[in-house]
Amino acid sequence: MSDFRREERSGSASDEAKEPSWRKDRKSLQSERRRFPRPEKAATEEALPPPALQPLKFSTRDIEPAAQFAAWQAYVAPVADVRLPDNIPPEAGFPADHIAWNLGGMLIVQQETPPHSYMRSQAKVKTNHIDHWHISVPSSGRTWTEVDGHVLEGEPGKVELRSLGHPFRGRSTEAKGLSLFLPRALLFDVPTPVEIENNIALSGVFTSMLIEFLDSVEHNLARFAATDLPHVVQTMRNMIVASVSTSAAQSTGTEQHSTLALTERVRRFVEGNLTSGDLTVEHICRELGISRTRLYQIFEQYGGVHHYIQRRRLLSAHAALSDPANREQIVDIAFAVGFSSAAHFSRAFGKEFGYSPREARNLTIPRYLGQVISPASSGSSHSFDEWLKTLGYYH
């Protein structure tokens, strides 16, 4: 062995001999620790509840470019009819993404689209009867939406609120953003004298807080446990109410404001009296102090008062039938929600949902998770339509 190597080993041995005993003890302890796993972290990870939400994902990116826009049109048809800009042919493609999350009390949608125009016509309002509140929070791009002659411009940093129970139209640049769909009942107890106006931009400190909270919710959508979701929905609802109550948005007109406020009053009365056998036009007019003519005018866009009441009763029955804990007889549920004939209930139910009340018993609509697919169209891509229809009618 060379003198150099003998000196190196000798030096190493000498250094070890000089090393303090406390340092040797620490090295020994660290070595011992490394031999064993860290059970505390593993136990914590195992204790975490599983994620509750399973999103509905739809994208046109894997479809032939020439067929992309038609596929997108069909998917978003329950909400609005869409068109391409005049200078863009369908063959150019329409790469778009739509990811929906069902929190039970509201839907959250992440969406990214190329330029297009959109319209929710009076005819569509009449036929599909989805009258939820829609809240739009763009993160990129710009939109222009017109309701009754009033145009609202959307851009990052803004929060827009409008009713799906009222016609609108607009256009969008290439855009990305978040949408919330809220059943009207969720905002029924907004503090008086505040009345929710249509097609407004929310503003103020609570709106800024709402945007920040939405960012956090979006980041955690895939992580929420089932026990988290009611609290998320309630917190979101409270922040929206605070934003609406303190918003500096100007009124869209005294007459329109009066009509919207009266419509909300009637809606609230109907929801609170669905099981009553005396829910008639005469009873509504008497209790709310309005004329039959005025009531008919307001609900003409919903297919009439009787049609509106019947649909709300059908939705209530649908929720009861698809609730695994509810084993009442179908006929008893029909009578409980205000139908006087089992045969009439069955016909109306089939016309509204596309399947029978008995089939609805086998329809899985979890309160907070899962994909809703009708038994008549299992495997179809139209379950977002089911989510919209039954939103707010989970038990």
Side-chain angles (χ1 to χ4, degrees):
M1 183 181 295
S2 69
D3 293 339
F4 175 79
R5 291 191 177 181
R6 278 197 296 270
E7 289 176 3
E8 184 181 33
R9 287 195 172 184
S10 175
S12 175
S14 176
D15 291 342
E16 289 180 6
K18 294 178 182 177
E19 187 174 26
S21 60
W22 64 266
R23 186 173 293 173
K24 292 180 182 179
D25 292 342
R26 176 181 288 181
K27 286 185 175 181
S28 175
L29 182 59
Q30 290 174 343
S31 177
E32 287 295 323
R33 284 178 175 173
R34 283 195 293 268
R35 294 181 186 178
F36 303 98
R38 297 180 179 177
E40 296 84 359
K41 184 176 181 181
T44 301
E45 290 176 351
E46 290 177 4
L48 291 175
L53 299 177
Q54 297 294 326
L56 295 180
K57 296 183 178 181
F58 178 77
S59 176
T60 63
R61 297 180 189 276
D62 295 330
I63 302 173
E64 188 70 24
Q68 287 179 347
F69 186 67
W72 183 258
Q73 279 182 310
Y75 195 77
V76 301
V79 176
D81 297 315
V82 293
R83 289 181 54 188
L84 285 169
D86 293 338
N87 61 337
I88 299 180
E91 294 76 19
F94 194 83
D97 300 298
H98 187 282
I99 304 175
W101 304 79
N102 191 344
L103 279 67
M106 66 176 62
L107 305 183
I108 295 180
V109 173
Q110 300 161 297
Q111 182 170 299
E112 184 171 1
T113 55
H116 66 284
S117 62
Y118 49 88
M119 181 173 69
R120 184 166 177 82
S121 65
Q122 183 72 65
K124 186 173 288 291
V125 170
K126 279 186 178 181
T127 54
N128 75 1
H129 303 292
I130 296 171
D131 62 353
H132 311 313
W133 288 110
H134 176 230
I135 292 178
S136 176
V137 188
S139 57
S140 67
R142 301 175 74 181
T143 61
W144 295 265
T145 307
E146 181 264 325
V147 175
D148 294 336
H150 173 68
V151 177
L152 186 66
E153 182 175 350
E155 59 186 356
K158 277 189 175 181
V159 175
E160 302 173 68
L161 182 145
R162 66 181 53 89
S163 169
L164 296 184
H166 199 84
F168 60 81
R169 63 179 181 176
R171 62 184 179 90
S172 171
T173 64
E174 182 176 357
K176 183 177 182 180
L178 209 64
S179 286
L180 275 66
F181 295 88
L182 285 69
R184 288 185 173 273
L186 196 63
L187 302 183
F188 270 175
D189 56 345
V190 172
T192 55
V194 175
E195 293 289 353
I196 304 179
E197 298 180 45
N198 190 17
N199 200 37
I200 60 172
L202 304 181
S203 61
V205 65
F206 285 108
T207 301
S208 299
M209 292 172 62
L210 174 61
I211 293 174
E212 293 177 3
F213 184 66
L214 277 170
D215 287 341
S216 176
V217 168
E218 184 178 12
H219 180 71
N220 288 283
L221 282 168
R223 304 177 187 178
F224 286 128
T227 52
D228 298 329
L229 297 177
H231 304 291
V232 174
V233 171
Q234 186 62 35
T235 302
M236 189 90 71
R237 179 257 173 212
N238 291 344
M239 297 187 76
I240 291 169
V241 169
S243 297
V244 170
S245 302
T246 60
S247 176
Q250 293 183 349
S251 173
T252 55
T254 304
E255 183 178 350
Q256 180 190 350
H257 175 71
S258 175
T259 299
L260 290 171
L262 182 56
T263 304
E264 286 301 303
R265 284 181 59 209
V266 177
R267 284 196 180 105
R268 296 183 191 199
F269 185 82
V270 169
E271 294 297 329
N273 293 273
L274 277 179
T275 60
S276 171
D278 192 31
L279 188 58
T280 62
V281 168
E282 291 76 15
H283 183 59
I284 295 172
C285 291
R286 183 172 62 253
E287 291 296 320
L288 299 183
I290 59 176
S291 69
R292 292 171 62 99
T293 301
R294 182 68 168 141
L295 185 65
Y296 288 145
Q297 286 175 344
I298 291 174
F299 282 87
E300 192 275 334
Q301 62 181 321
Y302 304 110
V305 184
H306 294 293
H307 195 190
Y308 180 83
I309 293 173
Q310 176 172 290
R311 184 172 187 276
R312 307 320 273 186
R313 283 175 164 163
L314 288 171
L315 283 167
S316 184
H318 190 288
L321 288 167
S322 57
D323 180 0
N326 189 329
R327 305 317 301 171
E328 287 184 272
Q329 295 292 320
I330 293 176
V331 64
D332 293 334
I333 291 175
F335 291 154
V337 297
F339 283 86
S340 57
S341 164
H344 174 52
F345 169 73
S346 184
R347 285 194 302 270
F349 192 97
K351 183 178 180 181
E352 179 67 31
F353 298 108
Y355 42 88
S356 69
R358 191 170 300 279
E359 287 176 304
R361 267 273 149 87
N362 301 318
L363 179 64
T364 302
I365 304 187
R367 184 172 183 180
Y368 297 119
L369 66 154
Q371 182 172 349
V372 182
I373 301 178
S374 76
S377 58
S378 181
S380 75
S381 62
H382 297 291
S383 51
F384 180 60
D385 186 18
E386 289 291 334
W387 276 8
L388 286 170
K389 283 182 178 179
T390 56
L391 179 61
Y393 283 86
Y394 296 94
H395 290 310

